[in-house]
Amino acid sequence: MDEERALYIVRAGEAGAIERVLRDYSDKKLCEGIFKVLLKDIPTTCQVSCLEVLRILSRDKKVLVPVTTKENMQILLRLAKLNESDDSLEKVSEFPVIVESLKCLCNIVFNSQMAQQLSLELNLAAKLCNLLRKCKDRKFINDIKCFDLRLLFVLSLLHTDIRSQLRYELQGLPLLTQILESAFSIKWTDEYESAIDHNGPPLSPQETDCAIEALKALFNVTVDSWKVHKESESHQFRVMAAVLRHCLLIVGPTEDKTEELHSNAVNLLSNVPVSCLDVLICPLTHEETAQEATTLDELPSDKTAEKETVLKSNTMVYNGMNMEAIHVLLNFMEKRIDKGSSYREGLTPVLSLLTECSRAHRNIRKFLKDQVLPPLRDVTNRPEVGSTVRNKLVRLMTHVDLGVKQIAAEFLFVLCKERVDSLLKYTGYGNAAGLLAARGLLAGGRGDNWYSEDEDTDTEEYKNAKPKEELLKPMGLKPDGTITPLEEALNQYSVIEETSSDTD
């Protein structure tokens, strides 16, 4: 707002308008004054104070419009050490200025379309990547990395062109993956396997926040990565998936931070081509194999179920493979179900991920089948009644949200190798009817995907109950509006008609 316009409104005399225009005008003048001060050679403490005020003011879009210029953006880039001429980050005293400048840029770019356009013109994404490379392996400047990554996330969220630039021109995938490796202090034991210390300390708050920002930026960079054609890209995605496996097996400083960290890891894993998700499981090490053998020897000979899946030192083992990451995903899914809200945003990503992993990787499907759909022994209660993971998923098959019930049904269908008879055994016909109708399988059969043949898993309890089951029973409405078997409903209507005829 210019001075003449402000004076006109003040002279008009309306109290509310006067207060509003004076506040906006004074904020604008304050912003302009701050940028003028930042051009001067002033002490670091003064720079930080000016930037803190500017950060607060930059949350207001009305204030931003007149002060968002190329010259002012360049001032902030210089203070944030984003110019190519700045070769190093040696002066620790300058770090608070860099952090506050990055915070201001985050607010300004997010709230101002002009700033977003200027970011493209000034090649801000490349400058941010350059700054990340300077502080990639230096843990004592986590705040700088955190807000650099946050700004990269904002830019890639708002501009699809920047996503492409980050992915291909700036090599954002390996760069951001290395940032995660540094945050997690990963030590590789094989090409796609890292050492996990279950007794180690949790991530620090700074490392956790840095990792979360990197995961969010990586999600934007890889959002269109379903198909991988180059071998080099496949390797990069496998390395990233291995890093995400490590992420799932560590914890943050609090339970909430751990859930936020794992939630972002799940979202990013959803972007990984399914062929590269095999690194989520890995063969047991020699030490783990020795531990498993010891545990098996200690079990009685009749404990076959316990021998099939061994839990030792927090490591889930199945068929000679370490399934711990898959077990974490399964527990994460169950916690999201138990929350009972925000299923579309919070639950469907992990359900979709587990579904695709099960469809593409046999060992993962077989492990999840054992965990979610163990041999059926309770044949007296309806499938949706109870507190097991199976019961919870079956209840979701009739959820009011179409997307939620579709993905829950699809997950169970894949675990049943897309065999209708197997699905009905675990879910019941009524719960499965929606999925079967959509696939044209109400009369039975199986889906389009091929799965290996497994042994019969019917328990004696199920075999005894199977002949007594009534999968389909026609139902009708009684005169009082309640549901009853169709034959009984027709008999009651017949009685009513006969009574009415006699009356006539």
Coordinates of all heavy atoms in Angstrom, one line a residue, residues 158-242:
L158 N 5.7 -27.0 -4.7 CA 5.0 -26.0 -5.4 C 5.3 -26.0 -6.9 O 4.5 -25.5 -7.7 CB 5.3 -24.6 -4.9 CG 4.9 -24.4 -3.4 CD1 5.5 -23.1 -2.9 CD2 3.4 -24.3 -3.3
H159 N 6.4 -26.6 -7.3 CA 6.8 -26.6 -8.7 C 7.2 -28.0 -9.2 O 8.2 -28.5 -8.8 CB 8.0 -25.6 -8.9 CG 7.6 -24.2 -8.9 ND1 7.0 -23.6 -10.0 CD2 7.8 -23.2 -8.0 CE1 6.8 -22.3 -9.7 NE2 7.2 -22.1 -8.5
T160 N 6.4 -28.5 -10.2 CA 6.8 -29.8 -10.8 C 8.1 -29.7 -11.5 O 8.8 -30.7 -11.6 CB 5.7 -30.3 -11.7 OG1 5.4 -29.3 -12.7 CG2 4.4 -30.5 -10.9
D161 N 8.4 -28.5 -12.1 CA 9.7 -28.4 -12.8 C 10.9 -28.6 -11.9 O 11.9 -29.1 -12.3 CB 9.8 -27.0 -13.5 CG 8.8 -26.8 -14.6 OD1 8.3 -27.9 -15.1 OD2 8.5 -25.7 -15.1
I162 N 10.8 -28.1 -10.7 CA 11.9 -28.2 -9.7 C 12.0 -29.7 -9.3 O 13.1 -30.2 -9.1 CB 11.6 -27.3 -8.5 CG1 11.8 -25.9 -8.9 CG2 12.5 -27.7 -7.3 CD1 11.6 -24.9 -7.8
R163 N 10.9 -30.5 -9.2 CA 11.0 -31.9 -9.0 C 11.9 -32.6 -10.0 O 12.8 -33.4 -9.7 CB 9.6 -32.6 -9.0 CG 8.7 -32.1 -7.8 CD 7.4 -32.8 -8.0 NE 6.3 -32.1 -7.3 CZ 5.1 -32.3 -7.5 NH1 4.7 -33.3 -8.3 NH2 4.2 -31.5 -6.9
S164 N 11.6 -32.3 -11.3 CA 12.4 -32.9 -12.4 C 13.8 -32.4 -12.3 O 14.8 -33.2 -12.5 CB 11.7 -32.5 -13.7 OG 12.5 -33.0 -14.8
Q165 N 14.1 -31.2 -12.0 CA 15.4 -30.6 -11.9 C 16.2 -31.3 -10.8 O 17.4 -31.7 -11.0 CB 15.4 -29.1 -11.7 CG 16.8 -28.5 -11.6 CD 16.8 -27.1 -11.1 OE1 15.8 -26.6 -10.5 NE2 17.8 -26.3 -11.3
L166 N 15.5 -31.5 -9.6 CA 16.2 -32.2 -8.5 C 16.5 -33.6 -8.8 O 17.6 -34.1 -8.5 CB 15.2 -32.1 -7.3 CG 15.3 -30.9 -6.4 CD1 14.2 -30.9 -5.4 CD2 16.6 -30.7 -5.7
R167 N 15.6 -34.3 -9.5 CA 15.7 -35.7 -9.8 C 16.9 -36.0 -10.8 O 17.7 -36.9 -10.5 CB 14.4 -36.2 -10.4 CG 14.5 -37.7 -10.8 CD 14.4 -38.7 -9.7 NE 14.5 -40.0 -10.2 CZ 13.4 -40.7 -10.7 NH1 12.2 -40.2 -10.7 NH2 13.5 -41.9 -11.1
Y168 N 16.9 -35.2 -11.8 CA 17.9 -35.5 -12.9 C 19.1 -34.6 -13.0 O 20.2 -35.1 -13.0 CB 17.1 -35.5 -14.3 CG 16.0 -36.5 -14.3 CD1 14.7 -36.1 -14.2 CD2 16.3 -37.9 -14.4 CE1 13.6 -37.1 -14.2 CE2 15.2 -38.8 -14.4 CZ 13.9 -38.4 -14.3 OH 12.9 -39.3 -14.3
E169 N 18.9 -33.3 -13.0 CA 20.0 -32.4 -13.2 C 20.8 -32.3 -11.9 O 22.1 -32.2 -12.0 CB 19.4 -31.0 -13.5 CG 20.5 -29.9 -13.7 CD 19.9 -28.6 -14.0 OE1 18.8 -28.5 -14.5 OE2 20.6 -27.6 -13.6
L170 N 20.2 -32.2 -10.7 CA 20.9 -32.0 -9.5 C 21.2 -33.2 -8.7 O 21.8 -33.2 -7.6 CB 20.1 -31.0 -8.6 CG 19.8 -29.6 -9.2 CD1 18.9 -28.8 -8.4 CD2 21.1 -28.9 -9.5
Q171 N 20.8 -34.4 -9.3 CA 21.1 -35.7 -8.6 C 20.6 -35.7 -7.2 O 21.3 -36.1 -6.2 CB 22.6 -36.0 -8.6 CG 23.2 -36.2 -10.0 CD 22.6 -37.4 -10.7 OE1 22.7 -38.5 -10.2 NE2 22.0 -37.1 -11.8
G172 N 19.3 -35.3 -7.0 CA 18.7 -35.1 -5.7 C 18.5 -36.5 -5.0 O 18.6 -36.5 -3.8
L173 N 18.2 -37.5 -5.8 CA 18.0 -38.8 -5.2 C 19.2 -39.3 -4.4 O 19.1 -39.6 -3.2 CB 17.5 -39.8 -6.2 CG 17.2 -41.2 -5.7 CD1 16.1 -41.2 -4.7 CD2 16.7 -42.1 -6.9
P174 N 20.4 -39.4 -5.0 CA 21.5 -39.9 -4.2 C 21.9 -38.9 -3.1 O 22.3 -39.3 -2.0 CB 22.6 -40.1 -5.2 CG 22.2 -39.3 -6.4 CD 20.7 -39.3 -6.4
L175 N 21.8 -37.6 -3.4 CA 22.2 -36.6 -2.4 C 21.3 -36.6 -1.1 O 21.8 -36.7 0.0 CB 22.1 -35.2 -3.0 CG 22.3 -34.0 -2.1 CD1 23.7 -34.0 -1.5 CD2 22.0 -32.7 -2.8
L176 N 20.0 -36.7 -1.3 CA 19.1 -36.7 -0.2 C 19.2 -38.1 0.6 O 19.0 -38.1 1.8 CB 17.7 -36.5 -0.6 CG 17.4 -35.1 -1.2 CD1 16.0 -34.9 -1.8 CD2 17.6 -34.0 -0.1
T177 N 19.5 -39.1 -0.2 CA 19.7 -40.4 0.5 C 20.9 -40.4 1.3 O 20.9 -41.0 2.4 CB 19.8 -41.5 -0.6 OG1 18.6 -41.6 -1.4 CG2 20.0 -42.9 0.0
Q178 N 22.0 -39.7 0.9 CA 23.2 -39.6 1.7 C 22.9 -38.8 3.0 O 23.5 -39.0 4.0 CB 24.3 -39.0 0.9 CG 24.9 -39.9 -0.2 CD 25.7 -39.2 -1.2 OE1 26.0 -38.0 -1.1 NE2 26.1 -39.9 -2.3
I179 N 22.0 -37.8 2.8 CA 21.7 -37.0 4.0 C 21.0 -37.9 5.1 O 21.3 -37.8 6.3 CB 20.7 -35.8 3.6 CG1 21.4 -34.8 2.7 CG2 20.1 -35.2 4.9 CD1 22.5 -34.1 3.4
L180 N 20.1 -38.8 4.6 CA 19.5 -39.8 5.5 C 20.5 -40.7 6.1 O 20.5 -41.0 7.3 CB 18.4 -40.6 4.8 CG 17.1 -39.9 4.5 CD1 16.2 -40.8 3.7 CD2 16.4 -39.5 5.7
E181 N 21.5 -41.2 5.3 CA 22.5 -42.1 5.8 C 23.3 -41.4 7.0 O 23.6 -42.0 8.0 CB 23.5 -42.4 4.7 CG 23.0 -43.4 3.7 CD 24.0 -43.8 2.7 OE1 25.1 -44.2 3.1 OE2 23.8 -43.8 1.5
S182 N 23.6 -40.1 6.8 CA 24.3 -39.3 7.8 C 23.5 -39.1 9.0 O 24.0 -39.3 10.1 CB 24.7 -38.0 7.2 OG 25.3 -37.2 8.2
A183 N 22.2 -38.8 8.9 CA 21.3 -38.6 10.0 C 21.2 -39.9 10.9 O 21.1 -39.9 12.1 CB 20.0 -38.2 9.6
F184 N 21.2 -41.1 10.2 CA 21.0 -42.4 10.9 C 22.3 -43.0 11.3 O 22.3 -44.1 11.9 CB 20.2 -43.3 10.0 CG 18.8 -42.9 9.6 CD1 18.3 -43.2 8.4 CD2 18.1 -42.1 10.5 CE1 17.0 -42.8 8.1 CE2 16.8 -41.7 10.2 CZ 16.3 -42.0 8.9
S185 N 23.5 -42.4 10.9 CA 24.8 -42.9 11.1 C 24.9 -44.4 10.7 O 25.3 -45.3 11.4 CB 25.1 -42.9 12.6 OG 25.1 -41.5 13.1
I186 N 24.5 -44.6 9.4 CA 24.4 -46.0 8.9 C 25.8 -46.5 8.6 O 26.7 -45.9 8.1 CB 23.6 -46.0 7.6 CG1 22.1 -45.8 8.0 CG2 23.8 -47.3 6.9 CD1 21.2 -45.9 6.8
K187 N 26.0 -47.8 9.0 CA 27.2 -48.5 8.7 C 26.8 -49.7 7.9 O 26.1 -50.6 8.3 CB 27.9 -49.0 10.0 CG 28.5 -47.8 10.8 CD 29.1 -48.3 12.1 CE 29.6 -47.1 12.9 NZ 30.2 -47.6 14.2
W188 N 27.3 -49.8 6.6 CA 26.9 -50.9 5.7 C 27.6 -52.1 6.0 O 28.9 -52.1 6.1 CB 27.1 -50.4 4.3 CG 26.2 -49.2 3.9 CD1 26.6 -47.9 3.7 CD2 24.8 -49.3 3.6 NE1 25.6 -47.2 3.4 CE2 24.4 -47.9 3.3 CE3 23.9 -50.3 3.6 CZ2 23.1 -47.6 3.0 CZ3 22.5 -49.9 3.3 CH2 22.2 -48.6 3.0
T189 N 26.9 -53.2 6.0 CA 27.5 -54.6 6.1 C 27.5 -55.3 4.8 O 28.2 -56.3 4.7 CB 26.8 -55.4 7.2 OG1 25.4 -55.6 6.8 CG2 26.8 -54.7 8.6
D190 N 26.7 -54.9 3.9 CA 26.7 -55.4 2.5 C 26.1 -54.3 1.6 O 25.8 -53.2 2.1 CB 25.8 -56.7 2.5 CG 26.1 -57.6 1.4 OD1 26.8 -57.2 0.4 OD2 25.7 -58.8 1.4
E191 N 26.0 -54.7 0.4 CA 25.5 -53.6 -0.6 C 24.2 -52.9 -0.2 O 24.1 -51.7 -0.3 CB 25.4 -54.2 -2.0 CG 25.1 -53.2 -3.1 CD 25.1 -53.8 -4.5 OE1 24.8 -55.0 -4.6 OE2 25.3 -53.0 -5.4
Y192 N 23.3 -53.7 0.3 CA 22.0 -53.2 0.7 C 21.6 -53.5 2.1 O 20.4 -53.6 2.4 CB 20.9 -53.7 -0.3 CG 21.1 -53.3 -1.7 CD1 21.2 -54.4 -2.7 CD2 21.3 -52.0 -2.2 CE1 21.5 -54.1 -4.0 CE2 21.6 -51.7 -3.5 CZ 21.7 -52.8 -4.4 OH 21.9 -52.5 -5.8
E193 N 22.6 -53.8 2.9 CA 22.3 -54.2 4.3 C 23.1 -53.3 5.3 O 24.3 -53.1 5.0 CB 22.6 -55.7 4.6 CG 21.8 -56.6 3.8 CD 22.2 -58.1 4.0 OE1 22.6 -58.4 5.2 OE2 22.0 -58.9 3.1
S194 N 22.4 -52.9 6.3 CA 23.1 -52.0 7.3 C 23.1 -52.7 8.7 O 22.2 -53.5 9.0 CB 22.4 -50.7 7.4 OG 21.0 -50.8 7.8
A195 N 24.1 -52.3 9.5 CA 24.1 -52.8 10.9 C 23.1 -52.2 11.7 O 23.0 -50.9 11.7 CB 25.5 -52.6 11.5
I196 N 22.3 -52.9 12.5 CA 21.3 -52.4 13.4 C 21.6 -52.7 14.8 O 21.9 -53.8 15.2 CB 19.9 -53.0 13.1 CG1 19.5 -52.9 11.6 CG2 18.8 -52.5 14.0 CD1 19.2 -51.4 11.2
D197 N 21.7 -51.6 15.6 CA 22.0 -51.8 17.0 C 20.7 -51.6 17.8 O 20.3 -50.4 18.1 CB 23.1 -50.8 17.5 CG 23.5 -50.9 18.9 OD1 23.0 -51.9 19.6 OD2 24.3 -50.1 19.5
H198 N 20.1 -52.7 18.2 CA 18.8 -52.6 18.9 C 18.9 -52.0 20.3 O 18.0 -51.5 20.9 CB 18.1 -53.9 19.0 CG 17.7 -54.5 17.7 ND1 16.7 -53.9 16.9 CD2 18.2 -55.5 16.9 CE1 16.5 -54.6 15.8 NE2 17.4 -55.6 15.8
N199 N 20.1 -52.0 20.8 CA 20.4 -51.4 22.2 C 21.0 -50.0 22.1 O 21.3 -49.5 23.2 CB 21.3 -52.4 23.0 CG 20.7 -53.8 23.2 OD1 19.5 -53.9 23.5 ND2 21.5 -54.8 23.0
G200 N 21.1 -49.5 20.9 CA 21.7 -48.2 20.8 C 20.7 -47.1 21.2 O 19.5 -47.3 21.4
P201 N 21.2 -45.9 21.4 CA 20.4 -44.7 21.8 C 19.4 -44.3 20.7 O 19.7 -44.6 19.5 CB 21.4 -43.6 22.1 CG 22.6 -44.0 21.2 CD 22.6 -45.4 21.2
P202 N 18.3 -43.7 21.1 CA 17.4 -43.2 20.0 C 18.0 -42.0 19.3 O 19.0 -41.4 19.7 CB 16.2 -42.7 20.8 CG 16.7 -42.4 22.2 CD 17.8 -43.4 22.4
L203 N 17.5 -41.7 18.1 CA 17.9 -40.5 17.4 C 17.7 -39.2 18.3 O 16.7 -39.2 19.0 CB 17.1 -40.3 16.1 CG 17.4 -41.3 15.0 CD1 16.5 -41.0 13.8 CD2 18.9 -41.3 14.5
S204 N 18.6 -38.3 18.1 CA 18.4 -37.0 18.8 C 17.2 -36.2 18.1 O 16.9 -36.5 17.0 CB 19.6 -36.2 18.7 OG 19.9 -35.7 17.4
P205 N 16.6 -35.3 18.8 CA 15.5 -34.5 18.2 C 16.0 -33.8 16.9 O 15.2 -33.7 15.9 CB 15.2 -33.4 19.3 CG 15.6 -34.1 20.5 CD 16.8 -34.9 20.2
Q206 N 17.2 -33.3 16.9 CA 17.7 -32.6 15.7 C 17.9 -33.6 14.5 O 17.5 -33.3 13.4 CB 19.1 -31.9 16.0 CG 19.0 -30.8 17.0 CD 19.0 -31.3 18.4 OE1 19.2 -32.5 18.7 NE2 18.7 -30.4 19.3
E207 N 18.5 -34.8 14.8 CA 18.6 -35.8 13.7 C 17.3 -36.2 13.2 O 17.1 -36.5 12.0 CB 19.4 -37.0 14.3 CG 20.9 -36.7 14.6 CD 21.6 -37.8 15.4 OE1 20.9 -38.5 16.1 OE2 22.8 -37.9 15.3
T208 N 16.3 -36.4 14.1 CA 15.0 -36.8 13.7 C 14.3 -35.8 12.8 O 13.8 -36.2 11.8 CB 14.1 -37.1 14.9 OG1 14.8 -38.0 15.8 CG2 12.8 -37.7 14.5
D209 N 14.4 -34.6 13.2 CA 13.7 -33.5 12.4 C 14.4 -33.4 11.0 O 13.8 -33.2 10.0 CB 13.9 -32.1 13.1 CG 12.9 -32.1 14.3 OD1 12.0 -32.8 14.4 OD2 13.2 -31.2 15.2
C210 N 15.7 -33.5 11.0 CA 16.5 -33.5 9.7 C 16.1 -34.6 8.8 O 15.8 -34.4 7.6 CB 18.0 -33.5 10.0 SG 19.0 -33.3 8.6
A211 N 16.0 -35.8 9.4 CA 15.6 -37.0 8.6 C 14.1 -36.9 8.1 O 13.9 -37.2 6.9 CB 15.7 -38.3 9.5
I212 N 13.2 -36.3 8.9 CA 11.9 -36.2 8.4 C 11.8 -35.2 7.3 O 11.1 -35.4 6.3 CB 11.0 -35.7 9.6 CG1 10.8 -36.8 10.6 CG2 9.6 -35.2 9.1 CD1 10.1 -36.4 11.9
E213 N 12.5 -34.1 7.3 CA 12.5 -33.1 6.2 C 13.1 -33.8 5.0 O 12.6 -33.5 3.9 CB 13.3 -31.9 6.6 CG 12.7 -31.1 7.7 CD 11.3 -30.6 7.4 OE1 11.0 -30.4 6.2 OE2 10.5 -30.3 8.4
A214 N 14.2 -34.6 5.1 CA 14.8 -35.3 4.0 C 13.8 -36.2 3.3 O 13.7 -36.4 2.1 CB 16.1 -36.0 4.4
L215 N 13.1 -37.0 4.2 CA 12.1 -37.9 3.7 C 11.0 -37.2 2.9 O 10.5 -37.7 1.8 CB 11.4 -38.7 4.9 CG 12.4 -39.7 5.6 CD1 11.7 -40.2 6.9 CD2 12.7 -40.9 4.7
K216 N 10.5 -36.1 3.4 CA 9.5 -35.3 2.7 C 10.0 -34.8 1.4 O 9.2 -34.8 0.4 CB 9.0 -34.2 3.6 CG 8.1 -34.7 4.8 CD 8.1 -33.7 5.9 CE 7.5 -32.3 5.5 NZ 7.5 -31.4 6.7
A217 N 11.2 -34.3 1.3 CA 11.7 -33.8 0.1 C 11.9 -35.0 -0.9 O 11.6 -34.8 -2.1 CB 13.1 -33.1 0.3
L218 N 12.4 -36.1 -0.4 CA 12.6 -37.3 -1.3 C 11.3 -37.7 -1.9 O 11.2 -38.2 -3.0 CB 13.3 -38.4 -0.5 CG 14.8 -38.5 -0.6 CD1 15.3 -39.5 0.4 CD2 15.2 -38.8 -2.0
F219 N 10.2 -37.6 -1.1 CA 8.9 -38.0 -1.6 C 8.5 -37.2 -2.8 O 8.0 -37.8 -3.8 CB 7.8 -37.9 -0.5 CG 6.4 -38.2 -0.9 CD1 6.0 -39.5 -0.8 CD2 5.6 -37.3 -1.4 CE1 4.7 -39.9 -1.3 CE2 4.3 -37.6 -1.9 CZ 3.9 -38.9 -1.8
N220 N 8.7 -35.9 -2.8 CA 8.4 -35.1 -3.9 C 9.3 -35.4 -5.1 O 8.8 -35.4 -6.3 CB 8.5 -33.6 -3.6 CG 7.5 -33.1 -2.6 OD1 6.4 -33.8 -2.5 ND2 7.7 -32.0 -2.0
V221 N 10.5 -35.7 -4.9 CA 11.5 -36.0 -5.9 C 11.1 -37.3 -6.7 O 11.3 -37.4 -7.9 CB 12.9 -36.0 -5.4 CG1 13.9 -36.5 -6.5 CG2 13.4 -34.7 -4.9
T222 N 10.6 -38.3 -5.9 CA 10.3 -39.6 -6.5 C 8.9 -39.9 -6.7 O 8.5 -41.1 -7.0 CB 10.9 -40.7 -5.5 OG1 10.2 -40.5 -4.2 CG2 12.4 -40.5 -5.3
V223 N 8.0 -38.9 -6.7 CA 6.6 -39.1 -6.7 C 6.1 -39.8 -8.0 O 5.1 -40.5 -8.0 CB 5.8 -37.8 -6.5 CG1 5.9 -36.9 -7.7 CG2 4.4 -38.0 -6.1
D224 N 6.9 -39.7 -9.1 CA 6.5 -40.3 -10.3 C 7.4 -41.4 -10.7 O 7.8 -41.6 -11.9 CB 6.5 -39.3 -11.5 CG 5.4 -38.2 -11.2 OD1 4.3 -38.5 -10.8 OD2 5.8 -37.0 -11.4
S225 N 7.9 -42.2 -9.8 CA 8.9 -43.2 -10.0 C 8.5 -44.6 -10.0 O 9.2 -45.6 -9.7 CB 10.0 -43.1 -8.9 OG 10.5 -41.8 -8.9
W226 N 7.2 -44.9 -10.5 CA 6.7 -46.3 -10.5 C 7.5 -47.2 -11.4 O 7.6 -48.4 -11.2 CB 5.2 -46.3 -10.9 CG 4.4 -45.8 -9.7 CD1 3.8 -44.6 -9.5 CD2 4.0 -46.6 -8.6 NE1 3.1 -44.6 -8.3 CE2 3.2 -45.8 -7.7 CE3 4.3 -47.9 -8.1 CZ2 2.7 -46.2 -6.5 CZ3 3.8 -48.3 -6.9 CH2 3.0 -47.5 -6.1
K227 N 8.0 -46.6 -12.5 CA 8.7 -47.5 -13.5 C 10.1 -47.1 -13.6 O 10.5 -45.9 -13.7 CB 8.0 -47.3 -14.9 CG 6.6 -47.8 -15.0 CD 6.1 -47.7 -16.4 CE 4.6 -48.3 -16.5 NZ 4.1 -48.1 -17.8
V228 N 11.0 -48.0 -13.4 CA 12.4 -47.8 -13.5 C 13.0 -48.6 -14.7 O 12.7 -49.8 -14.8 CB 13.1 -48.3 -12.2 CG1 14.6 -48.1 -12.3 CG2 12.6 -47.4 -11.0
H229 N 13.7 -47.9 -15.5 CA 14.2 -48.6 -16.7 C 15.8 -48.7 -16.7 O 16.3 -49.7 -17.3 CB 13.8 -47.8 -18.0 CG 12.3 -47.7 -18.2 ND1 11.5 -48.7 -18.5 CD2 11.5 -46.6 -18.0 CE1 10.3 -48.4 -18.6 NE2 10.2 -47.1 -18.3
K230 N 16.5 -47.8 -16.1 CA 17.9 -47.8 -16.1 C 18.4 -48.6 -14.8 O 17.9 -48.5 -13.8 CB 18.5 -46.4 -16.0 CG 18.1 -45.6 -17.2 CD 18.7 -44.2 -17.1 CE 18.3 -43.3 -18.3 NZ 18.8 -41.9 -18.2
E231 N 19.5 -49.4 -15.1 CA 20.1 -50.1 -14.0 C 20.6 -49.3 -12.9 O 20.5 -49.6 -11.7 CB 21.2 -51.0 -14.5 CG 21.7 -52.0 -13.5 CD 22.8 -52.9 -14.1 OE1 22.8 -53.1 -15.3 OE2 23.5 -53.5 -13.3
S232 N 21.1 -48.1 -13.2 CA 21.7 -47.2 -12.2 C 20.5 -46.6 -11.3 O 20.7 -46.5 -10.1 CB 22.4 -46.0 -12.9 OG 21.5 -45.3 -13.8
E233 N 19.4 -46.4 -11.9 CA 18.2 -45.9 -11.1 C 17.7 -47.0 -10.2 O 17.4 -46.7 -9.1 CB 17.1 -45.4 -12.1 CG 17.3 -44.1 -12.7 CD 16.1 -43.6 -13.5 OE1 15.4 -44.5 -14.0 OE2 15.9 -42.4 -13.5
S234 N 17.7 -48.2 -10.7 CA 17.3 -49.4 -9.9 C 18.2 -49.5 -8.7 O 17.7 -49.7 -7.5 CB 17.3 -50.7 -10.7 OG 16.9 -51.7 -9.9
H235 N 19.5 -49.3 -8.9 CA 20.5 -49.4 -7.8 C 20.2 -48.3 -6.8 O 20.2 -48.5 -5.5 CB 21.9 -49.3 -8.3 CG 22.9 -49.1 -7.2 ND1 23.3 -50.1 -6.3 CD2 23.7 -48.0 -6.9 CE1 24.2 -49.6 -5.5 NE2 24.4 -48.3 -5.8
Q236 N 20.0 -47.0 -7.3 CA 19.7 -45.9 -6.4 C 18.4 -46.2 -5.5 O 18.4 -45.9 -4.3 CB 19.5 -44.6 -7.2 CG 20.8 -44.1 -7.8 CD 20.6 -42.9 -8.7 OE1 19.5 -42.5 -8.8 NE2 21.7 -42.4 -9.3
F237 N 17.4 -46.7 -6.1 CA 16.2 -47.0 -5.4 C 16.4 -48.1 -4.4 O 15.8 -48.1 -3.3 CB 15.0 -47.3 -6.3 CG 14.3 -46.1 -6.9 CD1 14.5 -45.7 -8.2 CD2 13.5 -45.3 -6.1 CE1 13.9 -44.6 -8.7 CE2 12.9 -44.2 -6.6 CZ 13.1 -43.8 -7.9
R238 N 17.2 -49.1 -4.7 CA 17.5 -50.1 -3.7 C 18.3 -49.6 -2.5 O 18.0 -50.0 -1.4 CB 18.2 -51.3 -4.4 CG 17.3 -52.2 -5.1 CD 18.1 -53.5 -5.5 NE 17.1 -54.6 -5.7 CZ 16.5 -54.8 -6.9 NH1 16.8 -54.0 -7.9 NH2 15.6 -55.8 -7.0
V239 N 19.2 -48.7 -2.8 CA 20.0 -48.1 -1.7 C 19.0 -47.3 -0.8 O 19.0 -47.4 0.4 CB 21.1 -47.2 -2.2 CG1 21.7 -46.4 -1.1 CG2 22.1 -48.0 -2.9
M240 N 18.1 -46.6 -1.4 CA 17.2 -45.8 -0.7 C 16.2 -46.6 0.1 O 15.9 -46.4 1.3 CB 16.3 -44.9 -1.6 CG 15.4 -43.9 -0.8 SD 14.5 -42.8 -1.9 CE 13.3 -43.9 -2.6
A241 N 15.8 -47.7 -0.5 CA 14.9 -48.7 0.2 C 15.6 -49.3 1.4 O 15.0 -49.5 2.5 CB 14.4 -49.8 -0.7
A242 N 16.9 -49.6 1.3 CA 17.7 -50.2 2.4 C 17.8 -49.1 3.5 O 17.8 -49.5 4.7 CB 19.1 -50.6 1.8

